[in-house]
Amino acid sequence: MRFLFVDKIDAYSADQIAGRRAFAADEPMRYLSAPGRAGPVVAPGALSEAIGQLASWLCLERNGFTARPVFLFADRITVEAPVAVGKVVDLAVTIEGLDQETFRFTGEARVEGRVVQRIQACSCYFMPLAELEDPAESRRRFAALAQGGLTYDGVGGE
């Protein structure tokens, strides 16, 4: 199982970032079915994690890869629809506030243009990146995500 929930960064600016995550047909973070669906679906928590990780990448880039966000709470997480495994999920995040110690973001996940999950006003604080992982490796991974994305065996492409 992999814990990187962003496969590609499509675009980013000072306060917004867009990316995607392909959830493989054998996605381990799934339910066998959901009401009204005939087949496995991605766990909503995995979608929340993908949105949060995309927000993290923008914060890391903005702070020069010195601090990683740790999520505290969200004012609201809304699950609009289940996501079948094997789908590509488009992710978008807007940073609403950022200082040296904390930040706040809102984000959403879409499948084929339809919103499937929203996170509103998620508050976070920063921990020194070097205490958690090698900053140079984080820079390399960000560059790979922003320059074509990462691929994994068994995961469908675009």
Side-chain angles (χ1 to χ4, degrees), residues 48-63:
S48 295
E49 181 65 22
I51 295 166
Q53 283 188 18
L54 188 64
S56 291
W57 284 118
L58 183 56
C59 286
L60 282 164
E61 193 277 335
R62 289 217 22 215
N63 70 34

Side-chain angles (χ1 to χ4, degrees), residues 19-31:
R20 63 185 71 182
R21 169 62 147 85
F23 286 92
D26 63 348
E27 173 64 41
M29 294 193 182
R30 66 178 187 257
Y31 294 116

